[in-house]
Amino acid sequence: MSGTALEQPSIENKGAHNMENVQTYLQKAVEQGASDLFIVAGKAVSVKREGEIVPLEDGRLMPEDSESLVRDLYGMAHRPIERCMSMGDDDFSLSVTGMARFRVNTYRQRGSLAAVIRIVSFGIPDWREVDIPEEVMKIANMTRGMVLVTGPAGGGKSTTLACVVDAVNRNRNAHIITIEDPIEYLHRNDKSIISQRELAMDTSSYVTALRASLRQAPDVILLGEMRDLETIQTAMTAAETGHLVISTLHTVGAVNTIDRIIDVFPPSQQQQVRIQLAQVLKTVISQQLLPTVSGTLVPAFEIMHLNNAVRTMVRDSRIHQIDSVIQTSAAEGMIAMDESILRLHKAGRITTETALHCAMNPDQLQKKLGR
């Protein structure tokens, strides 16, 4: 079956007291369906469930307790703790056999060690079950150009990307290279060959891995994040040379996304970047997760495809006009974020309060809800 975890690096329960300790918390988090586990001195070990942070026990962690638990995490991942000690924070992932995968962020706060751990289930979810629209899944059929999946941290971007990569893997004969920090979802080779590279473990930086990937006969390149000018430039060049490049940005909305990319470059280069971006960019998906009335989370999506009108606006620096094109191009598969939110509200899945809180233009949405 495609998209199941390879469970590695993995840990069997060795029965050590401390290891059992941190593993017990991980087990509880998984059993309770939590999205995150928090280990921070001064507070009890806590989990985030359905958007609420709740303690797993009474009492508070002392700094030595949180340090012990964090050190156990490093032991489980077979990873040296020095990076966190010297840099002040670190990212890595680990698998626990029969339990789940975990994306770990460790950091120092008030001189003590802390960790926030994201729980990632084994296997790739079914895109229909996690409410990803069919229009988004069409990315898997693209063969060249750049696609951006954007939204706030914790907005579901990794899950969307995993579903798209899984669809390519199951339906196409391709070489997919992913460059991630850290790897969350593990993919098994199906019709495609998948090379998954993790920052720090397999490569020194996004740019280094991206440049190398161009010599590795790629068809699809998944870039975990476009963090700086050099990465963005290299990604755009890769998309120009006939590859499909999929990446993410922490922006909400297509207009903000395009602005962010152009603003990274010095003013003297911006016009050239607009021309290049108008050519290579194919689609911008923006998403955020909204709490539902039933206590779960549901994604709202904005989908923008670059048709001739949008390309001209990007090239001619009339980016502020793009929103009106999105609103009038439903026939081409586009949808504005607030329209997506309005549909969720009409379906009775989210409250009015949630709809207005998450809207890009609350005043306009308020009028539509009033009607």
Side-chain angles (χ1 to χ4, degrees):
M1 179 189 143
S2 74
T4 52
L6 302 181
E7 301 190 10
Q8 182 242 331
S10 186
I11 165 107
E12 299 293 350
N13 186 352
K14 299 284 193 298
H17 175 69
N18 278 356
M19 190 73 84
E20 180 63 36
N21 211 345
V22 79
Q23 227 170 305
T24 304
Y25 291 130
L26 294 172
Q27 182 77 49
K28 282 182 181 172
V30 171
E31 284 168 359
Q32 294 187 17
S35 61
D36 300 273
L37 176 71
F38 298 86
I39 297 171
V40 183
K43 186 106 171 99
V45 175
S46 304
V47 292
K48 187 183 250 184
R49 282 199 319 255
E50 294 163 3
E52 299 282 314
I53 294 177
V54 290
L56 282 177
E57 59 192 6
D58 298 330
R60 297 178 311 168
L61 288 174
M62 294 282 118
E64 56 271 25
D65 300 328
S66 65
E67 176 162 340
S68 173
L69 291 169
V70 169
R71 284 184 178 277
D72 289 343
L73 285 167
Y74 276 93
M76 291 170 81
H78 308 297
R79 182 184 179 91
I81 198 171
E82 281 65 35
R83 182 185 160 89
C84 181
M85 293 308 222
S86 62
M87 305 288 285
D89 52 66
D90 191 15
D91 279 300
F92 58 95
S93 55
L94 61 97
S95 298
V96 180
T97 308
M99 197 189 293
R101 273 180 68 73
F102 302 93
R103 188 179 80 192
V104 183
N105 178 271
T106 57
Y107 57 98
R108 296 218 307 266
Q109 63 95 33
R110 292 186 182 178
S112 66
L113 286 176
V116 178
I117 302 151
R118 169 65 52 90
I119 292 102
V120 184
S121 60
F122 281 140
I124 315 296
D126 184 316
W127 58 272
R128 297 169 200 84
E129 286 174 16
V130 290
D131 293 292
I132 297 172
E134 204 166 328
E135 192 65 33
V136 171
M137 294 305 296
K138 286 180 183 173
I139 298 169
N141 303 326
M142 293 182 184
T143 54
R144 58 180 56 213
M146 179 183 275
V147 174
L148 298 175
V149 178
T150 75
K157 298 187 295 293
S158 300
T159 303
T160 298
L161 291 171
C163 290
V164 169
V165 168
D166 187 52
V168 176
N169 186 24
R170 280 185 289 110
N171 299 306
R172 276 170 61 189
N173 183 283
H175 184 203
I176 306 164
I177 298 173
T178 77
I179 306 162
E180 301 169 75
D181 181 25
I183 291 170
E184 280 186 60
Y185 291 96
L186 292 168
H187 296 268
R188 281 208 173 137
N189 300 323
D190 194 336
K191 273 193 178 173
S192 291
I193 292 174
I194 301 196
S195 304
Q196 289 187 270
R197 307 191 67 197
E198 184 167 314
L199 255 61
M201 193 186 291
D202 302 315
T203 180
S204 59
S205 72
Y206 277 126
V207 171
T208 309
L210 190 53
R211 287 201 180 122
S213 73
L214 297 178
R215 299 187 294 275
Q216 292 154 3
D219 297 291
V220 179
I221 301 168
L222 172 73
L223 188 62
E225 197 183 331
M226 297 205 299
R227 288 181 181 168
D228 52 45
L229 187 152
E230 211 180 352
T231 311
I232 293 171
Q233 220 164 14
T234 313
M236 280 166 59
T237 305
E240 268 180 332
T241 53
H243 307 94
L244 176 63
V245 178
I246 308 171
S247 192
T248 74
L249 280 170
H250 290 298
T251 47
V252 179
V255 170
N256 293 335
T257 301
I258 293 168
D259 277 337
R260 166 76 65 86
I261 290 173
I262 292 164
D263 288 346
V264 165
F265 290 84
S268 60
Q269 291 179 31
Q270 289 183 357
Q271 187 48 40
Q272 179 54 41
V273 171
R274 284 190 189 96
I275 294 166
Q276 199 181 359
L277 200 56
Q279 286 172 335
V280 302
L281 193 59
K282 296 282 189 246
T283 296
V284 179
I285 311 285
S286 195
Q287 66 179 95
Q288 51 180 333
L289 287 176
L290 280 54
T292 65
V293 290
S294 62
T296 57
L297 293 167
V298 64
F301 285 89
E302 175 172 285
I303 302 170
M304 181 198 75
H305 301 303
L306 273 82
N307 58 14
N308 289 338
V310 176
R311 284 185 198 288
T312 305
M313 286 169 186
V314 172
R315 207 172 39 238
D316 298 349
S317 194
R318 291 185 285 125
I319 290 162
H320 57 281
Q321 296 176 1
I322 289 174
D323 280 336
S324 59
V325 178
I326 297 172
Q327 284 161 10
T328 54
S329 303
E332 294 179 53
M334 299 198 219
I335 184 168
M337 178 60 77
D338 288 1
E339 180 59 32
S340 182
I341 290 171
L342 185 63
R343 286 182 190 179
L344 290 170
H345 183 269
K346 279 182 178 166
R349 298 190 69 181
I350 60 171
T351 63
T352 305
E353 188 185 17
T354 298
L356 294 172
H357 177 68
C358 298
M360 303 288 280
N361 191 327
D363 295 342
Q364 245 178 4
L365 188 63
Q366 175 86 59
K367 286 175 190 161
K368 288 181 182 173
L369 292 173
R371 286 211 296 276

